[in-house]
Amino acid sequence: MTEQSTTRTRRRGVTEQQRPLWLLTPGGLLMTLIILVPLLLAVYISLIDLDQYTLRRWLDAPFIGLRNFTEAFESGLPRSIWISVSFAVISTAATVPFGIAAAVATQNAFRGRALVRAVFLIPYVLPSFVVATVWRTMLQPDGIVNTMLAKVGVDGALWLSGPTSFWTLILVEIWAAWPFIYLMALAGLQSVDGEVHEASAIDGANWWPKLTHVILPYLRGPVLLACLLATLHHINNFTLPYVLFGAPAPDDVNVMPMIVYVTSFQGLRFGLSAAMAIVSLLLIAIPLFAYLRALRLDVHEDGGRK
Amino acid sequence: MGRRRMRAVVAVAGAVTLAAGLGACGGGDEGGGGGAGKTLNVLIGANTQYPQEFRAWQKSIADRFKAQTGATVEFEEFATANDELTKIQTSVVSGAGPDVYAVGTTLTPTAYSTGAFVKLDDERWQKVGGKERFVPATLGISGPDQQNQVGVPFVSRPFVMAYNTELLRAAGISRPATTWDELREHAKQLTKGDQYGLAVAYKDNFDPWKFVWGMSVQAGNPLVDGRTARLQDPIVRQAYQTYFGWVTTDKVVDPAAIGWTNSQAIAEFAEGKTGYMALTSTTAAKALDDGAVKGKWSFALLPTVPPGAASRPATGVEAASILSGDNLLVADYSDNQDLAFEFVKMATEQDTQLDYYKAVGNLPANAAALQTLQSDPKLAPVAQAAQKSVATPFTGAWADIQLAMTNVVVQSIPDLSKGSVSDAQLDGRLADAQKSAQSALDRAK
Amino acid sequence: MTASTTPRPVPVLAPARRAGRARRRTAAGEAHRLLPAPLLAAVTVTLCAMVLAPTLYIVLASLNTDVGVASGEFWPRAFSLDSYSRIWTTADLATGLLNSMLVCALVAVASALLGTITAYVLVRYTFTGRLTILRGLVGLQSIPGTLMLLPVFVLFSSAGNYLGLTVVGTRWGLFLAYLTFALPFSTWVMVTYLRGLPRELEEAGRMDGASTLRILFRIIVPLSLPAIVVSGIFAFLLGWNDVLFASVLTRPETQTAAVALSAFGATQEGGAIPVYSQVMAAALISAAPVVLLYLAFQRYLVGGLTAGGVK
């Protein structure tokens, strides 16, 4: 790595020496102060016995080391994390086709395109709890969804309780979150040089091979990044399951943010919930970094496409 | 390019303006000096049913308080009990926040357990007008015992049933049921065609445990005995079975009810084709009057005789409702405690209480005020319920116990839709509930 | 072949269009097409239907009464515009919208710009710790909000208690919090986009003796407008829809639209019907500014490199 950069430095000349690293300070300062410091505080909280009884004088709360962590493992946290992760991965995978299709469809101008683009954004713009309320009303046992299904002769299921609730959560999340992939893919499509289009036209490529072999590779970077961030967002999404199912939630959708929220804000067991959140953070960060490395998303690619 | 730069300039200018306006937006209430010029911050629940009347009441009491003490009252509203709990947590941990809290009765034990609220000794009770001022039952959840009370009763929101007067009359029922068995019989008589006898909200997060609590307490099991949870008990089991039985075996409830929240059950009852609405309070009056059932409904006391019996056993308690309403608590980090207690006194005076009732429909906790409302026949059952309310166990673990009891119902819903909850399944869930309730009690300090 | 025989309109591109391209516009228009027309129509219609069906329910519900919505009606039995007038008094929606617009707009701009600057340094220069920072930024995004709430509140209120800086309850505090939470994401969006930008332009600028900042604002920002708009949108929405932090960091005067909206969803135990119809109306009103803003800025989503000027 150093070998490469030295060569590059030598190649690029003197300007590379004037690294304006000071430009990193504003962002870095903000993030250190408002994210890292509270994070350290949260780690401290996970090591003490902080609940409603000790909240008043939290600095004096007894230090109990890793006891919160052991309790976290015994309290059903691993299962919740598993539910969260599988929910997140499936949701992301399902939203990708929709997002890319939408980006591709709105890339070329047509009358009313601006409106269509705005319509596509609606699920993402609506606040989570409104989306959840609407879907919860529609998915009632005697709600509109089951009524429509009955009209076509399909027996409506119990959407909001029992095993089906897991798939309901995925369904609603897909509806609400696909515009995210759409937006990222759209931005990615803009970086396709005009000449690329012309070159493939000259080559006489049909739309399908052109799309899959020429255009889509440009989307790789943005879409893979979008997948990563979308998965993270799904894993940490608390509002949707909370408003859709309420607390306590059916066992099959007891996702990790729910269990952390209920422990912290309803059970008032801050130490335990901090430990839970940190455990889940670690369990998620490790595959995350593996994903990053595997896709080399963080590696310095040479700029420009020829 | 120029446009972009202009935008940046405007943005920076905007930021500078905001920063300049920073000083105006401080949330301070730290006031040194005399009585006048101070601000009292009161946290109270938002009211979406009567927002304008509520704000008008806030203004009138703020004006009166200013005239009396010179201090300004600023009201802050919270949306749900959870939001209030979050606010309590952040205020307790930072030592700054509202001076007076209007805390729901079910949350009062949790608030008490933080140790951040002022305990009322005799002197302070006198400051707020004396204990005799209040309906005796409402004092039941002010604290774990007489010496350690933090809550001053503010309003009363007891739970009652509602029934369709027309449907009951048509079925030949002369007066609403007074025992759970009788309720079931009535409901069976009233269920025919597209009509149902009972509206119940199985998927509500707050309703189910109240039924179980009521039936258990009436049969002699207070659910918490000192530091022991008594959820794994035949009495509790029968309570759940009765509750589930309405929709599975008796079939007096619309099958869709397993997906209903309380408001959906009310909406159903408001359509006029249901005999009884199993659990509601005066806050539903507006919704009922907006519906088809207008003029044909009335409140009734919840049954006070446990299921399977014709009269209450000796150990049973006549619990017509959980002790429900709001208490006023004063934060002990507050710099304005004397002012706060003066405010509490004003808020619990007979006139203020009656004004509040007229504005938003919550029953007064002030005994004299409640007395004047007794004459209203519509309110008589509710006033009775207020007087016959019994407090839920006063422990910091109650929130967890409540969750555990609700969880039994949540996990049973798939079985309810299939038609029955077997004893084995119920016992398994009761065992889980017992475990989590007991561990919560063990942690309570 | 003149421009007037173009079969379909070419999208409005950023100003730096080269004359040469106009000559080949017909062929270019055809070449740029990604999907055949019928497929395009099918995809667009399906996606729109998918989005609009529940949205239609929201619109219908906002025109219904609270009781009607609570009893599960789809098509209102009685249409009424009541909700639209009531929402302004039930909760302080107007103040909420104003505060949200102010804070979120600033957050969007600040986050996009700061993200661009940070991304530029991370993409164009090598230094020790670069990879760690990049990975760290992703890691920061995986931190759940519920973990951070109490510590961030403690931090802000300590600033108030010990430094005399009132942060809790001000719009400024909210702005700082949202900006910081949006930064890792904005930075990464810009990183991904900037990586694809050819270096030749910057080289040319540097050859002319331009400072880094000039290069940034004169060359990089115009070229990466699509990504800047996207990261701005996300930052805006992060602040717009957040309820958790807004509810603890604001006072009634500084509350955001999200907090006001959650007041509509208020449920009281055992009684009042939540004002469903008003919730829907308020939700639509709250979504409107964002959609309008998007409509205004979405034309910047076309252009960038396709505007030419590379050679």
Side-chain angles (χ1 to χ4, degrees):
Chain A
M1 192 78 209
T2 351
E3 200 73 26
Q4 264 183 306
S5 58
T6 334
T7 329
R8 246 191 242 128
T9 317
R10 259 186 259 132
R11 246 196 298 136
R12 291 288 189 248
V14 113
T15 49
E16 204 75 353
Q17 306 300 358
Q18 303 162 338
R19 296 182 299 194
L21 292 182
W22 62 271
L23 283 175
L24 288 177
T25 19
L29 200 66
L30 268 179
M31 288 193 266
T32 312
L33 197 60
I34 299 185
I35 301 187
L36 286 180
V37 170
L39 190 62
L40 289 173
L41 195 57
V43 172
Y44 175 67
I45 291 179
S46 70
L47 298 171
I48 58 177
D49 183 16
L50 191 64
D51 56 14
Q52 56 196 288
Y53 307 102
T54 53
L55 187 63
R56 192 86 199 287
R57 275 166 267 282
W58 62 277
L59 286 167
D60 295 332
F63 184 84
I64 53 171
L66 297 176
R67 259 224 324 255
N68 281 327
F69 288 90
T70 35
E71 194 178 344
F73 276 106
E74 286 160 14
S75 64
L77 183 67
R79 182 161 183 274
S80 286
I81 296 183
W82 168 244
I83 297 177
S84 275
V85 171
S86 46
F87 150 69
V89 169
I90 297 177
S91 301
T92 309
T95 48
V96 168
F98 289 110
I100 295 185
V104 165
T106 54
Q107 170 68 352
N108 302 121
F110 54 85
R111 226 197 343 237
R113 178 177 69 157
L115 197 63
V116 169
R117 278 178 159 180
V119 165
F120 282 172
L121 203 59
I122 290 179
Y124 199 67
V125 173
L126 285 175
S128 234
F129 99 90
V130 171
V131 172
T133 310
V134 169
W135 278 99
R136 191 185 65 208
T137 319
M138 298 203 302
L139 291 170
Q140 290 289 302
D142 56 349
I144 187 83
V145 170
N146 278 351
T147 324
M148 298 261 155
L149 285 177
K151 288 214 176 107
V152 288
V154 176
D155 231 352
L158 194 63
W159 298 102
L160 298 172
S161 308
T164 332
S165 53
F166 180 72
W167 301 103
T168 309
L169 186 61
I170 290 182
L171 193 81
V172 179
E173 182 77 344
I174 292 174
W175 186 88
W178 73 266
F180 179 73
I181 311 274
Y182 159 64
L183 280 176
M184 293 289 278
L186 198 60
L189 275 180
Q190 305 319 312
S191 68
V192 178
D193 215 352
E195 279 133 25
V196 171
H197 289 277
E198 279 142 38
S200 50
I202 290 171
D203 287 346
N206 211 357
W207 67 271
W208 178 251
K210 171 183 167 190
L211 192 66
T212 44
H213 296 305
V214 181
I215 307 292
L216 286 189
Y218 278 90
L219 293 181
R220 181 180 174 273
V223 170
L224 283 176
L225 176 69
C227 285
L228 177 66
L229 297 174
T231 312
L232 277 180
H233 174 255
H234 297 323
I235 292 179
N236 286 328
N237 190 356
F238 156 74
T239 318
L240 198 74
Y242 182 65
V243 180
L244 205 51
F245 300 106
D251 265 341
D252 304 87
V253 279
N254 206 3
V255 290
M256 185 268 295
M258 283 270 264
I259 201 176
V260 171
Y261 178 85
V262 170
T263 312
S264 177
F265 291 101
Q266 288 183 4
L268 293 168
R269 301 197 59 191
F270 306 103
L272 180 61
S273 76
M276 285 177 171
I278 290 176
V279 167
S280 51
L281 184 59
L282 290 173
L283 283 178
I284 288 160
I286 296 168
L288 193 88
F289 290 134
Y291 178 89
L292 264 182
R293 280 190 78 107
L295 291 173
R296 296 166 60 80
L297 279 181
D298 50 356
V299 170
H300 214 332
E301 280 175 27
D302 217 328
R305 308 233 188 301
K306 302 292 172 286
Chain B
M1 208 74 74
R3 216 182 325 155
R4 212 164 297 118
R5 177 151 300 159
M6 256 241 303
R7 266 213 316 243
V9 168
V10 168
V12 170
V16 170
T17 321
L18 257 188
L22 172 83
C25 302
D29 61 342
E30 281 76 82
K38 290 200 186 173
T39 314
L40 197 69
N41 286 298
V42 179
L43 184 69
I44 195 168
N47 192 307
T48 49
Q49 298 290 301
Y50 306 99
Q52 281 160 312
E53 295 89 337
F54 188 44
R55 303 258 162 70
W57 176 85
Q58 286 176 7
K59 184 162 191 307
S60 85
I61 194 177
D63 289 339
R64 279 172 48 210
F65 195 70
K66 187 147 201 168
Q68 188 176 309
T69 63
T72 342
V73 178
E74 245 188 52
F75 284 97
E76 195 179 332
E77 296 177 8
F78 60 86
T80 63
N82 279 335
D83 292 331
E84 173 166 48
L85 199 51
T86 310
K87 189 88 196 185
I88 292 180
Q89 294 160 32
T90 51
S91 305
V92 168
V93 87
S94 62
D99 303 293
V100 179
Y101 290 77
V103 180
T105 46
T106 31
L107 266 188
T108 307
T110 311
Y112 174 84
S113 62
T114 62
F117 296 95
V118 179
K119 293 197 181 151
L120 291 135
D121 51 14
D122 288 332
E123 192 200 318
R124 290 207 180 93
W125 271 115
Q126 282 309 108
K127 259 202 232 169
V128 300
K131 282 190 199 179
E132 322 73 48
R133 215 192 213 197
F134 302 97
V135 175
T138 57
L139 290 164
I141 203 145
S142 298
D145 50 56
Q146 295 277 1
Q147 287 72 35
N148 292 294
Q149 291 173 316
V150 293
V152 178
F154 178 45
V155 290
S156 204
R157 261 191 314 264
F159 286 92
V160 289
M161 292 194 300
Y163 66 95
N164 188 319
T165 48
E166 218 177 59
L167 290 182
L168 255 69
R169 209 177 322 133
I173 301 173
S174 55
R175 55 154 186 72
T178 51
T179 80
W180 291 105
D181 289 344
E182 204 186 342
L183 182 65
R184 187 174 49 212
E185 290 318 307
H186 286 189
K188 282 192 185 154
Q189 279 178 276
L190 291 161
T191 307
K192 49 180 172 240
D194 65 344
Q195 217 175 278
Y196 282 100
L198 202 53
V200 183
Y202 285 95
K203 201 157 199 294
D204 193 271
N205 282 339
F206 302 106
D207 277 9
W209 69 265
K210 296 187 172 91
F211 289 100
V212 176
W213 173 89
M215 295 179 195
S216 305
V217 164
Q218 289 158 10
N221 180 349
L223 297 181
V224 174
D225 209 348
R227 304 207 32 126
T228 320
R230 283 176 54 186
L231 293 180
Q232 227 170 345
D233 186 292
I235 292 179
V236 176
R237 201 221 270 156
Q238 174 157 40
Y240 275 106
Q241 289 290 29
T242 314
Y243 181 64
F244 292 147
W246 292 331
V247 75
T248 53
T249 45
D250 307 321
K251 302 208 199 291
V252 295
V253 183
D254 189 332
I258 52 177
W260 286 348
T261 55
N262 184 284
S263 45
Q264 284 164 297
I266 296 237
E268 179 73 10
F269 178 79
E271 278 176 27
K273 300 229 213 76
T274 318
Y276 284 92
M277 168 65 206
L279 194 73
T280 182
S281 70
T282 47
T283 40
K286 185 166 195 261
L288 292 177
D289 282 336
D290 278 343
V293 79
K294 183 179 170 117
K296 303 186 222 166
W297 65 272
S298 189
F299 286 124
L301 214 57
L302 278 160
T304 49
V305 173
S311 65
R312 222 171 16 255
T315 48
V317 178
E318 193 188 8
S321 161
I322 61 165
L323 180 45
S324 172
D326 288 335
N327 287 330
L328 288 173
L329 275 64
V330 175
D332 91 344
Y333 56 69
S334 164
D335 291 329
N336 302 318
Q337 286 181 24
D338 287 330
L339 269 181
F341 281 112
E342 270 201 69
F343 176 81
V344 170
K345 175 168 194 229
M346 186 181 277
T348 52
E349 269 167 4
Q350 182 174 350
D351 293 332
T352 324
Q353 294 260 296
L354 281 173
D355 281 343
Y356 194 67
Y357 168 73
K358 288 199 196 92
V360 302
N362 283 331
L363 278 187
N366 180 303
L370 188 64
Q371 192 64 20
T372 64
L373 295 175
Q374 293 269 44
S375 47
D376 182 347
K378 248 214 161 43
L379 285 178
V382 188
Q384 255 196 312
Q387 284 151 347
K388 295 193 178 153
S389 298
V390 170
T392 44
F394 198 96
T395 160
W398 181 249
D400 285 331
I401 300 178
Q402 205 178 298
L403 267 174
M405 289 169 67
T406 316
N407 202 28
V408 173
V409 178
V410 168
Q411 307 307 338
S412 302
I413 289 194
D415 301 318
L416 284 180
S417 80
K418 291 202 196 99
S420 81
V421 182
S422 75
D423 279 342
Q425 288 167 323
L426 183 57
D427 282 335
R429 291 176 191 136
L430 280 178
D432 288 335
Q434 168 75 15
K435 210 172 88 174
S436 59
Q438 189 58 53
S439 73
L441 276 169
D442 291 335
R443 265 185 319 110
K445 301 176 178 80
Chain C
M1 301 288 157
T2 61
S4 59
T5 60
T6 320
R8 62 181 75 238
V10 174
V12 176
L13 298 176
R17 214 152 39 108
R18 296 177 45 91
R21 290 167 111 313
R23 256 180 275 127
R24 297 202 334 250
R25 205 189 303 182
T26 321
E30 280 299 315
H32 281 258
R33 229 179 25 179
L34 288 173
L35 290 179
L39 188 58
L40 183 81
V43 168
T44 312
V45 166
T46 319
L47 287 172
C48 281
M50 197 175 94
V51 168
L52 287 176
T55 314
L56 182 68
Y57 175 69
I58 298 181
V59 173
L60 287 177
S62 71
L63 296 170
N64 201 348
T65 58
D66 295 325
V67 184
V69 180
S71 56
E73 287 173 11
F74 186 80
W75 195 262
R77 234 176 285 179
F79 280 86
S80 98
L81 279 177
D82 254 355
S83 302
Y84 283 98
S85 49
R86 283 205 217 156
I87 50 179
W88 306 103
T89 47
T90 305
D92 206 352
L93 190 62
T95 315
L97 281 174
L98 210 63
N99 285 325
S100 276
M101 292 287 325
L102 219 65
V103 173
C104 294
L106 272 182
V107 169
V109 171
S111 165
L113 287 179
L114 258 185
T116 311
I117 297 173
T118 316
Y120 182 69
V121 177
L122 287 171
V123 168
R124 289 292 185 244
Y125 300 95
T126 52
F127 50 91
T128 41
R130 190 187 68 96
L131 270 183
T132 321
I133 294 182
L134 271 178
R135 292 188 184 138
L137 283 178
V138 178
L140 284 183
Q141 290 185 70
S142 44
I143 303 177
T146 40
L147 177 66
M148 301 292 285
L149 186 67
L150 215 53
V152 168
F153 185 84
V154 168
L155 182 76
F156 280 9
S157 61
S158 308
N161 292 341
Y162 302 116
L163 297 177
L165 278 172
T166 319
V167 183
V168 178
T170 62
R171 293 182 201 105
W172 208 222
L174 207 59
F175 165 75
L176 283 176
Y178 287 158
L179 175 61
T180 319
F181 296 145
L183 260 184
F185 181 69
S186 293
T187 312
W188 257 96
V189 171
M190 298 314 300
V191 161
T192 316
Y193 193 81
L194 286 180
R195 232 190 258 134
L197 279 189
R199 287 166 181 266
E200 285 76 16
L201 291 164
E202 303 155 52
E203 312 267 292
R206 233 177 260 291
M207 233 55 99
D208 292 343
S211 74
T212 315
L213 274 181
R214 263 183 90 91
I215 293 185
L216 260 177
F217 285 106
R218 287 280 162 130
I219 301 176
I220 303 293
V221 167
L223 278 181
S224 40
L225 265 188
I228 288 188
V229 171
V230 167
S231 74
I233 292 177
F234 287 131
F236 189 93
L237 284 174
L238 186 123
W240 193 262
N241 287 339
D242 165 78
V243 182
L244 206 56
F245 285 89
S247 61
V248 299
L249 289 177
T250 57
R251 291 189 49 75
E253 314 87 57
T254 57
Q255 74 175 13
T256 58
V259 175
L261 202 56
S262 70
F264 285 100
T267 40
Q268 267 181 329
E269 281 185 52
I273 296 193
V275 287
Y276 285 127
S277 178
Q278 292 181 41
V279 170
M280 302 299 171
L284 287 177
I285 302 268
S286 305
V290 189
V291 176
L292 289 175
L293 271 177
Y294 178 70
L295 276 174
F297 281 93
Q298 59 98 33
R299 61 205 180 96
Y300 292 108
L301 279 176
V302 189
L305 279 183
T306 58
V310 174
K311 298 296 178 308

